[in-house]
Amino acid sequence: MSNNKLVSDVSDGQIGGIMFIPRRILFEKDTLSYEIGHNIYHYFKDNQNVEIINLYNNKIKEHIPGDKLYDLYREGKNTLVVGIKKGMKFQSCKPSAHYQLPLMSGCIGHCQYCYLNTNLGDKPYMRINVNVDAILDQVQKYINERIPEETIFEGSATSDPVPIEPYSNALKHMIEFFGENEKGRFRFVTKYTDVDTLLDINHKNRSEIRFTLNTNKVIREYEMRTPSMERRIEASKKVIEAGYPVGYIIAPVFLYKEWQKDYLELLDLLKTSLPKKRMHPITFEVISHRYTTRAKNIITEVFPENTLPMTDEDRTYKYGQFGYGKYVYTKQDLADMVDFFKSNIDEIFDDKVIKYII
């Protein structure tokens, strides 16, 4: 067991590269008969700081303290649910992939702006599905339907899977599977740094690992319980040296006073930190801050003292592809942001691909 400070004991502030040690683990019925469920149980069964709960029904919230969302959120972020994926219809995942890969949901971070505050609502806990073989059988069916085209699967549409990887090896299963599948591609994104167990896998360049970056000001003020920018970049260097395709998501971009200076420092630091020799171009995805009314209401309830820039009058209301509207920066502000990132990424990095700036 790690001697580092337990993530479950950290309610605020930034953390290092330590794995997620939950306060409680809920095992749904029959999950111990699967390899991942069995391994998680035996990893934690002798840890006196972790409560092991075997469920005989699916009433998960009965075992998580907190009547109000404020408390449920904080206790849920320290809870791991080990479950079995029932339905096998995968959600689409445009524009980053063809399908979501439903391996996990949830994130241990306390990022105030996060869209998962809306998507998961009163289910803020981490959940891992242990029936990996059944999930991969469905992956193969989707791949077969699109042959001879490649099919891309996103492993972090509703989660950050890295903090539980050291004892679940779930990502390892995925990467090994796609390493043997010529027409399948796997990708996921993380803010976390515990990537050492992924470095020796024969990935055959078919799995892409991306890291979310932001300025130190944004991380300090809005991304509690996440590693620093420098530690994320250091982890990404390890992954590059292991031969993976690697990308960076700069998001969400906040247009505060001196934002250009801070984001330019981020880009410069990334440039000077990256290995000189890389097998693949690095990719960039840049996403401006936006929010929905529902997200704003939930964020305000969970983080009543937040200082996020969510004044509706300062934004433009825009309808999205899923039928609901969101508040985005004004047309001029977005144009300035696009110009800033495009011109500076082009100037600073020579072996790169800008996928989008929105």
Side-chain angles (χ1 to χ4, degrees), residues 69-82:
L69 183 58
Y70 179 94
D71 299 310
L72 179 65
Y73 176 90
R74 283 154 178 79
E75 290 292 343
K77 288 283 186 173
N78 288 310
T79 302
L80 174 62
V81 176
V82 180

Side-chain angles (χ1 to χ4, degrees), residues 111-113 217-224 254-256 289 291 296 299-300 302-311 314-315 329:
C111 299
Q112 295 179 1
Y113 54 74
K217 172 182 169 62
V218 171
I219 293 173
R220 183 176 61 251
E221 295 185 6
Y222 303 135
E223 296 186 359
M224 280 64 77
F254 288 93
L255 305 185
Y256 54 86
H289 177 244
Y291 63 90
K296 179 179 177 180
I299 290 167
T300 302
V302 174
F303 300 104
E305 298 180 359
N306 81 83
T307 59
L308 288 164
M310 296 190 296
T311 302
D314 294 338
R315 300 294 187 106
Y329 283 112

Side-chain angles (χ1 to χ4, degrees), residues 129-164:
N129 294 315
V130 296
N131 53 330
V132 172
D133 289 342
I135 292 171
L136 290 178
D137 284 346
Q138 184 61 44
V139 167
Q140 188 64 59
K141 290 177 183 177
Y142 283 124
I143 290 174
N144 292 344
E145 289 175 0
R146 287 180 43 81
I147 287 176
E149 301 296 325
E150 292 180 351
T151 303
I152 305 171
F153 295 84
E154 172 61 63
S156 54
T158 59
S159 71
D160 190 316
V162 166
I164 67 173

Side-chain angles (χ1 to χ4, degrees), residues 83-139:
I84 296 173
K85 172 70 175 169
K86 299 296 196 298
M88 284 297 168
K89 182 178 179 181
F90 292 7
Q91 299 294 317
S92 64
C93 195
K94 298 176 181 179
S96 68
H98 296 103
Y99 295 102
Q100 298 180 19
L101 202 161
L103 185 63
M104 309 182 197
S105 64
C107 176
I108 70 169
H110 287 197
C111 299
Q112 295 179 1
Y113 54 74
C114 183
Y115 70 92
L116 292 182
N117 292 328
T118 305
N119 286 23
L120 298 180
D122 62 351
K123 301 179 179 65
Y125 45 80
M126 288 288 293
R127 177 186 173 90
I128 181 168
N129 294 315
V130 296
N131 53 330
V132 172
D133 289 342
I135 292 171
L136 290 178
D137 284 346
Q138 184 61 44
V139 167

Side-chain angles (χ1 to χ4, degrees), residues 153-336:
F153 295 84
E154 172 61 63
S156 54
T158 59
S159 71
D160 190 316
V162 166
I164 67 173
E165 177 62 18
Y167 49 81
S168 72
N169 291 135
L171 291 173
K172 182 176 185 289
H173 279 284
M174 300 295 112
I175 293 170
E176 288 176 338
F177 171 85
F178 283 95
E180 299 302 320
N181 201 308
E182 293 185 1
K183 294 300 181 181
R185 295 292 182 271
F186 181 54
R187 66 200 310 254
F188 63 91
V189 63
T190 185
K191 288 186 174 82
Y192 292 88
T193 58
D194 213 332
V195 297
D196 288 357
T197 55
L198 305 178
L199 302 181
D200 295 328
I201 302 173
N202 189 11
H203 54 79
K204 296 184 182 177
N205 304 319
R206 294 180 186 136
S207 291
E208 178 190 14
I209 303 178
R210 295 118 73 215
F211 291 82
T212 298
L213 301 179
N214 221 312
T215 67
N216 280 322
K217 172 182 169 62
V218 171
I219 293 173
R220 183 176 61 251
E221 295 185 6
Y222 303 135
E223 296 186 359
M224 280 64 77
R225 210 163 79 154
T226 67
S228 67
M229 173 177 64
E230 290 80 5
R231 292 188 71 98
R232 299 179 203 183
I233 293 174
E234 188 64 30
S236 76
K237 287 169 56 180
K238 294 181 181 180
V239 174
I240 290 173
E241 289 166 350
Y244 283 94
V246 171
Y248 297 95
I249 298 181
I250 303 176
V253 174
F254 288 93
L255 305 185
Y256 54 86
K257 185 178 179 181
E258 296 190 335
W259 66 269
Q260 292 103 326
K261 172 180 172 292
D262 288 354
Y263 283 104
L264 185 57
E265 287 179 357
L266 186 161
L267 295 174
D268 284 335
L269 176 63
L270 183 61
K271 169 65 174 180
T272 57
S273 301
L274 290 181
K276 297 265 190 298
K277 294 183 179 180
R278 302 190 294 269
M279 291 182 61
H280 311 279
I282 57 173
T283 63
F284 286 95
E285 301 162 79
V286 184
I287 307 170
S288 60
H289 177 244
R290 66 278 310 281
Y291 63 90
T292 65
T293 298
R294 182 166 180 258
K296 179 179 177 180
N297 291 338
I298 292 175
I299 290 167
T300 302
E301 186 173 356
V302 174
F303 300 104
E305 298 180 359
N306 81 83
T307 59
L308 288 164
M310 296 190 296
T311 302
D312 298 352
E313 291 74 21
D314 294 338
R315 300 294 187 106
T316 296
Y317 192 73
K318 180 180 179 181
Y319 281 99
Q321 60 176 315
F322 300 110
Y324 58 84
K326 61 186 69 175
Y327 288 93
V328 302
Y329 283 112
T330 65
K331 186 175 181 180
Q332 185 58 55
D333 283 341
L334 287 175
D336 292 343

